[in-house]
Amino acid sequence: MDDEIKTKLLQYEEEEEEEGDLKQRIWIESKKIWRVAFPSVISRVCAFGTIVVTQSFIGHISDIDLAGYALVQTLSVRFVNGILLGMSSATETLCGQAFGAGHDHMMGIYLQRSWIVDLITLTVLLPVFIFATQIFRLVGEEEALAKSGGYISLWFIPFIYNYVFSLTIQMYLQAQLKNMIIAWLSTLQFAIHIPLSMLFVYKLNMGVAGAMISLSMSSWVLVIGEFIYIFGGWCPNSWKGFTVAAFKDLLPVVKLSISSGVMVCLELWYNAVLVLLAGYMADAEVAISAFSICLNVNVWEFMISLGFLGAACVRVANELGRGNAKAVKFSIKVLLGTSLTIGMFFFILCLVFGKKLAYVFTDDDRVADTVSDLSLLLSFSVLLNSIYPVLSGVAVGAGLQATVAIVNLVCFYLIGVPFGAMLGYLTSLEVKGIWIGMICGVLTQTITLLYLNWKTDWDLQVTRASERLNRFYLKTNDDADHVTNEL
């Protein structure tokens, strides 16, 4: 009897110890996640906030320019940003795994390779902005809307070039847990942007041009600050100066970048296609404006989710680089739990405030009423935002972008878009029907990614990460490969 009591006491003590150990592990993992996610959330919210603030200023200048800006920002800018963000996520994969494996000096080389690839890519894509009016006419937009969009599109060109550096540098810094500087710089960018916009739009009375000039100026403040931080010696282990090694092994990087680009583009373009569908409805100006306002609120909350996407990528990549498959699986569970809790909070917030959101962007009651009708669907979109970006981040960290690209193609474009078009045009739901289709696509994608994540062999991914790092690795003392000019 005594032995039985001792055994039960021993089991109870072990269970208590495991529970305490689990709490400690969750706390430690949460600190690692927030160390990446919090600065990333701040930087992304502020960066997107500058775009939304500009939209707000333009919305109070002219309704047609608001619709034109919404068209360019949602279609052209998101199109190009999707490609650059996706191709830059290859930097996130490689830098994260290199940091985990202790190959710090390779991170600077990966960063320079991403600059080369992204600069060439963006220059090739410039006709999207130069010939925007013709493109909008071609897809059937109204003449006034096409002209306004084409004019605003040209002002976006100096702005979009900041993406080449800001996106890649953020991924480079957060992979080595140094992205708090990005949060400070992004806050400065946002703080500067508001008075700059007031100066150019109201004081100098420059209208739309003034709003776009302030957007470009504030965006480059961030990039200049990033350059000062890197070149000034705050990344001594990962930045060894410019090197000709950046031009080597570009083809494998391009291949990984393309699969990354396709994965992210299919996500970001999804909303853009639905906005395009809204543009063909009877009252296109109201439909596009209302849909764009809801999408901007959705995307602004999505910036928080992207912070967790970045955290998921860094944590998964770091642990794969270290060869710890068990830590990868535990990190994914903590990430999903944390992100879902935040998603529930914003879900309730969107339900409560509904119609009031619209008046931040417009004075038009018709647009506000349409936004109010979409508020319930917006709330569900916000909730789903807390799940699938984390799973996408896991895929980026593991280098599984090609698989997720196929999932996105099927769920978004073979399910979501056709279903949304059918409900929008064949029923009385109109814009609401398009949004329901969008939610169906996202829900299908989320369920699929959850299943794929559950079935993934993480020990196999550890082996593949090791093989990838060894293939790209360059010795630090190889003078032939590193002709470096220290800055």
Side-chain angles (χ1 to χ4, degrees):
M1 188 69 179
D2 289 341
D3 290 339
E4 187 178 341
I5 293 173
K6 286 180 181 179
T7 303
K8 287 183 178 180
L9 284 172
L10 186 61
Q11 288 176 347
Y12 177 76
E13 287 175 1
E14 287 176 353
E15 288 173 4
E16 209 173 40
E17 187 178 334
E18 285 178 7
E19 186 180 347
D21 182 54
L22 179 61
K23 289 179 181 178
Q24 184 67 17
R25 287 172 62 204
I26 291 174
W27 173 247
I28 293 171
E29 182 62 34
S30 295
K31 286 196 293 184
K32 291 178 180 178
I33 289 168
W34 280 106
R35 186 175 176 183
V36 177
F38 182 67
S40 183
V41 167
I42 292 175
S43 63
R44 291 181 188 277
V45 168
C46 289
F48 186 70
T50 59
I51 294 177
V52 176
V53 166
T54 302
Q55 181 175 18
S56 181
F57 273 94
I58 290 176
H60 291 286
I61 294 171
S62 159
D63 286 339
I64 191 68
D65 287 326
L66 172 64
Y69 181 91
L71 197 65
V72 177
Q73 189 256 318
T74 312
L75 295 179
S76 305
V77 175
R78 189 163 294 172
F79 171 78
V80 172
N81 181 48
I83 293 176
L84 293 177
L85 180 61
M87 298 190 78
S88 299
S89 72
T91 311
E92 205 164 15
T93 302
L94 295 170
C95 285
Q97 293 181 0
F99 183 75
H103 300 172
D104 290 11
H105 71 282
M106 289 300 301
M107 298 174 70
I109 297 174
Y110 293 144
L111 177 62
Q112 291 171 62
R113 286 174 182 168
S114 69
W115 288 347
I116 295 167
V117 173
D118 284 9
L119 269 172
I120 294 172
T121 302
L122 179 54
T123 303
V124 170
L125 292 172
L126 276 184
V128 171
F129 292 89
I130 295 172
F131 302 106
T133 300
Q134 293 86 338
I135 292 171
F136 294 146
R137 283 174 183 158
L138 188 64
V139 297
E141 297 295 343
E142 297 174 1
E143 180 64 21
L145 199 56
K147 285 184 177 179
S148 173
Y151 173 72
I152 291 171
S153 188
L154 294 174
W155 283 106
F156 262 111
I157 292 176
F159 168 78
I160 59 170
Y161 266 96
N162 92 86
Y163 285 145
V164 172
F165 304 102
S166 60
L167 293 175
T168 51
I169 291 175
Q170 177 169 342
M171 293 171 181
Y172 161 79
L173 290 174
Q174 75 179 17
Q176 53 192 311
L177 308 179
K178 290 187 175 183
N179 60 329
M180 195 63 210
I181 182 63
I182 301 292
W184 287 111
L185 290 172
S186 297
T187 304
L188 175 64
Q189 172 196 3
F190 187 73
I192 289 174
H193 181 62
I194 296 174
L196 267 179
S197 297
M198 295 178 70
L199 172 66
F200 284 106
V201 175
Y202 296 131
K203 294 293 183 182
L204 300 180
N205 200 28
M206 293 179 67
V208 173
M212 297 306 299
I213 289 171
S214 65
L215 178 64
S216 293
M217 288 178 64
S218 60
S219 68
W220 279 95
V221 167
L222 172 66
V223 176
I224 292 169
E226 290 171 337
F227 284 152
I228 292 172
Y229 184 79
I230 295 173
F231 301 157
W234 281 276
C235 300
N237 296 325
S238 58
W239 180 261
K240 303 295 182 182
F242 290 103
T243 169
V244 295
F247 293 91
K248 295 188 176 183
D249 293 322
L250 277 177
L251 187 58
V253 174
V254 169
K255 287 180 179 178
L256 182 59
S257 296
I258 289 173
S259 61
S260 301
V262 171
M263 183 197 88
V264 176
C265 286
L266 289 174
E267 288 188 14
L268 295 180
W269 294 349
Y270 183 43
N271 292 343
V273 170
L274 296 171
V275 171
L276 192 60
L277 289 176
Y280 294 122
M281 290 188 169
D283 198 347
E285 185 181 323
V286 172
I288 289 178
S289 296
F291 203 62
S292 176
I293 287 170
C294 286
L295 281 179
N296 275 332
V297 174
N298 184 45
V299 172
W300 209 339
E301 191 277 335
F302 186 64
M303 294 301 108
I304 298 175
S305 302
L306 283 180
F308 284 93
L309 185 153
C313 178
V314 171
R315 290 297 303 129
V316 169
N318 285 174
E319 296 302 341
L320 287 177
R322 293 188 184 101
N324 194 341
K326 187 177 180 181
V328 171
K329 290 183 279 189
F330 182 74
S331 182
I332 293 170
K333 293 174 184 176
V334 177
L335 277 159
L336 283 172
T338 306
S339 183
L340 190 57
T341 302
I342 294 172
M344 285 299 299
F345 170 76
F346 283 102
F347 171 78
I348 296 169
L349 211 60
C350 287
L351 283 178
V352 171
F353 286 100
K355 188 174 182 178
K356 295 178 182 178
L357 293 170
Y359 289 109
V360 177
F361 303 95
T362 182
D363 298 320
D364 193 326
D365 289 332
R366 297 174 303 160
V367 175
D369 290 337
T370 307
V371 170
S372 180
D373 288 340
L374 293 171
S375 60
L376 178 62
L377 298 175
L378 173 62
S379 301
F380 281 105
S381 293
V382 163
L383 184 61
L384 288 173
N385 279 352
S386 64
I387 304 173
Y388 79 87
V390 173
L391 299 174
S392 295
V394 170
V396 172
L400 299 172
Q401 291 94 323
T403 302
V404 180
I406 296 171
V407 172
N408 289 348
L409 177 64
V410 174
C411 295
F412 292 160
Y413 297 91
L414 299 185
I415 297 175
V417 171
F419 192 49
M422 182 180 70
L423 290 177
Y425 289 103
L426 301 182
T427 72
S428 59
L429 292 172
E430 296 187 337
V431 179
K432 192 180 291 186
I434 293 175
W435 198 297
I436 291 171
M438 180 178 76
I439 290 176
C440 289
V442 173
L443 182 61
T444 308
Q445 183 231 28
T446 302
I447 293 170
T448 306
L449 290 181
L450 282 169
Y451 175 76
L452 290 176
N453 181 72
W454 177 55
K455 296 292 289 183
T456 298
D457 184 347
W458 290 107
D459 290 311
L460 177 61
Q461 295 308 318
V462 166
T463 303
R464 288 179 177 173
S466 178
E467 291 172 352
R468 183 185 297 115
L469 291 173
N470 289 332
R471 185 168 68 250
F472 288 132
Y473 186 76
L474 296 171
K475 293 181 179 179
T476 55
N477 60 353
D478 191 346
D479 294 331
D481 288 339
H482 292 272
V483 180
T484 305
N485 297 317
E486 294 293 339
L487 294 177

